[in-house]
């Protein structure tokens, strides 16, 4: 009888004490952040003993600066370049998971463009940040030229007017605007499919948190991974409601477009995730990207880049059973 009561009491107790966690994103709420909102909305974080507050980024917010000073616990990194930079600058932050296996960076072209090589004959609308990063890789690996580039002002109009041009964007976002404004489906060239093999939408935290409380980091990573599986393959209605609450300009149509593109292009679930699970990272992949960025003179040689990430919390197959068979 006592044993039965003890067993009953054990099942009634929560598995973990609740830890309050703050997660800062790098832009306004959108479907590309959906897995994190899913884990809030469907109780996955709570199940893992976490009370998570998502702090959206945006043009007036720089959540990245809040991480090393302890104002937030986790941060959504854009790609590996930021992490390499942190190592070079001695900033004690580290990537603990990569939710996007493919960077969503894309060139958007008019429908007559059928091959990647044709982009070398086009005017390319590229941002200042893009010119300093992925475009230098295009110069080094594919022979693109900076003479092709015109400034991208985050407006599709110049591209729509110039039939001999292409513009940068995210495969999950800008093509929707082009379809709506231009009335046609553009040709899309995802740079990840041509060798720009950075991880993206990473989870970063402070190196000291990894050392002092690895259990907390593991729970946040595991719950986030499960959130992504459920967002892509389950009922994401509640997560989308939270996204629209944090970003009233977001529409159901834009969300649906983004989710469809994430699935179509394998942004979250492709390659290594099929065996290692969503969030996967490998040493070989990070080395490949680092070497390419050194060759393209985007990153200085000699950076101890292995300090930028750890595979301690991923590659465990967490949540794989939630993917379609």
């Amino acid at each position: 009888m006592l044993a039965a009561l003890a067993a009953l009491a054990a099942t009634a107790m929560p598995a973990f004490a609740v830890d309050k966690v703050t997660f800062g994103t790098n832009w306004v709420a959108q479907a590309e952040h959906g897995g994190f909102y899913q884990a809030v909305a469907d109780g996955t974080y709570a199940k893992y003993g976490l009370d998570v507050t998502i702090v959206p980024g945006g043009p007036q917010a720089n959540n990245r600066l809040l991480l090393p000073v302890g104002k937030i616990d986790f941060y959504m990194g854009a790609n590996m370049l930021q992490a390499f930079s942190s190592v070079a600058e001695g900033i004690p932050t580290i990537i603990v998971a990569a939710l996007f296996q493919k960077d969503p960076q894309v060139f958007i072209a008019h429908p007559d463009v059928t091959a990647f090589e044709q982009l070398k004959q086009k005017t390319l609308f590229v941002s200042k940040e893009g010119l300093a990063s992925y475009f230098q890789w295009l110069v080094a690996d594919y022979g693109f030229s900076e003479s092709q580039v015109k400034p991208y002002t985050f407006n599709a109009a110049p591209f729509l007017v110039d039939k001999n041009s292409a513009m940068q964007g995210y495969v999950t976002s800008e093509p929707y605007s082009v379809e709506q404004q231009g009335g046609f489906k553009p040709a899309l060239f995802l740079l990840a499919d041509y060798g720009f093999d950075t991880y993206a939408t990473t989870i970063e935290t402070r190196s000291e948190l990894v050392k002092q409380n690895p259990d907390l980091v593991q729970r946040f990573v595991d719950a986030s991974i499960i959130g992504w599986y459920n967002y892509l393959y389950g009922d994401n209605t509640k997560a989308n409601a939270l996204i629209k609450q944090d970003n009233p300009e977001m529409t159901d149509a834009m969300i649906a477009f983004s989710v469809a593109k994430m699935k179509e292009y394998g942004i979250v679930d492709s390659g290594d995730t099929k065996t290692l699970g969503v969030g996967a990272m490998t040493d070989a992949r990070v080395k490949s990207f680092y070497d390419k960025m050194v060759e393209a003179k985007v990153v200085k040689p000699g950076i101890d880049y292995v300090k930028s990430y750890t595979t301690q919390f991923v590659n465990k197959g967490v949540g794989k059973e939630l993917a379609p068979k």
Side-chain angles (χ1 to χ4, degrees):
M1 182 68 177
L2 284 173
L5 284 172
L8 185 63
T11 57
M13 290 172 64
F16 311 98
V18 174
D19 292 296
K20 287 187 178 295
V21 166
T22 306
F23 175 58
T25 74
N26 56 23
W27 199 243
V28 294
Q30 53 191 294
E32 292 89 330
H33 307 167
F36 305 107
Y37 280 94
Q38 181 76 26
V40 171
D42 68 10
T44 300
Y45 283 135
K47 180 182 171 186
Y48 278 75
L50 301 170
D51 177 4
V52 174
T53 300
I54 296 177
V55 180
Q60 308 305 321
N62 192 341
N63 285 335
R64 185 175 190 82
L65 297 177
L66 303 181
L67 180 63
V69 296
K71 298 291 186 185
I72 59 174
D73 303 296
F74 297 94
Y75 174 71
M76 180 193 297
N79 56 40
M80 296 297 298
L81 287 173
Q82 293 177 327
F84 295 158
S85 177
S86 291
V87 172
E89 294 169 23
I91 299 169
T93 55
I94 189 168
I95 292 174
V96 293
L99 279 310
F100 282 11
Q101 291 298 295
K102 296 182 180 183
D103 191 301
Q105 192 72 59
V106 71
F107 266 122
I108 302 163
H110 291 272
D112 61 311
V113 180
T114 56
F116 188 68
E117 288 286 324
Q118 290 176 263
L119 292 173
K120 289 196 283 188
Q121 277 73 55
K122 304 295 180 185
T123 296
L124 301 176
F125 292 103
V126 178
S127 69
K128 184 173 67 173
E129 294 78 12
L131 187 62
S133 57
Y134 71 80
F135 198 83
Q136 297 308 310
W137 162 77
L138 288 171
V139 171
D141 275 31
Y142 285 95
F144 280 61
S145 168
E146 287 191 28
S147 64
Q148 300 172 250
V149 172
K150 285 187 177 180
Y152 175 58
T153 58
F154 299 90
N155 176 0
F159 160 71
L160 293 172
V161 170
D162 185 351
K163 305 298 185 205
N164 197 43
S165 72
M167 72 174 220
Q168 74 170 45
Y170 272 5
V171 72
T172 49
S173 181
E174 281 77 10
Y176 178 82
S177 303
V178 169
E179 288 184 21
Q180 296 301 305
Q181 295 173 38
F184 64 89
K185 285 191 179 297
L188 302 178
F189 298 92
L190 189 74
L191 298 190
D193 289 341
Y194 295 90
F196 189 68
D197 54 355
T198 181
Y199 293 117
T201 304
T202 60
I203 297 175
E204 295 187 24
T205 190
R206 291 182 300 285
S207 302
E208 67 174 1
L209 190 63
V210 167
K211 291 173 188 157
Q212 293 173 4
N213 200 344
D215 171 69
L216 176 70
V217 176
Q218 188 69 70
R219 282 185 281 135
F220 184 75
V221 168
D222 287 353
S224 299
I225 289 168
I226 290 168
W228 270 104
Y229 275 115
N230 285 329
Y231 186 72
L232 289 177
Y233 305 125
D235 181 358
N236 59 20
T237 309
K238 290 181 180 177
N240 291 336
L242 287 183
I243 289 170
K244 288 186 290 182
Q245 184 178 307
D246 274 356
N247 180 10
E249 294 182 8
M250 186 55 61
T251 68
D252 289 332
M254 290 162 71
I255 289 172
F257 180 91
S258 297
V259 171
K261 289 299 181 189
M262 283 191 280
K263 290 179 179 178
E264 179 185 349
Y265 283 88
I267 299 297
V268 175
D269 191 10
S270 63
D272 290 330
T273 67
K274 298 303 182 183
T275 51
L276 302 176
V278 162
M281 294 190 292
T282 68
D283 297 331
R285 173 84 176 267
V286 178
K287 182 180 189 304
S288 167
F289 182 65
Y290 174 75
D291 288 345
K292 287 175 184 177
M293 292 303 100
V294 169
E295 185 181 341
K297 296 183 172 57
V298 174
V299 172
K300 291 178 182 176
I303 294 173
D304 193 3
Y305 73 91
V306 295
K307 288 183 176 175
S308 67
Y309 73 102
T310 175
T311 60
Q312 176 181 347
F313 303 101
V314 292
N315 305 342
K316 304 173 192 290
V318 169
K320 261 176 65 182
E321 71 280 358
L322 298 169
K325 295 297 182 281

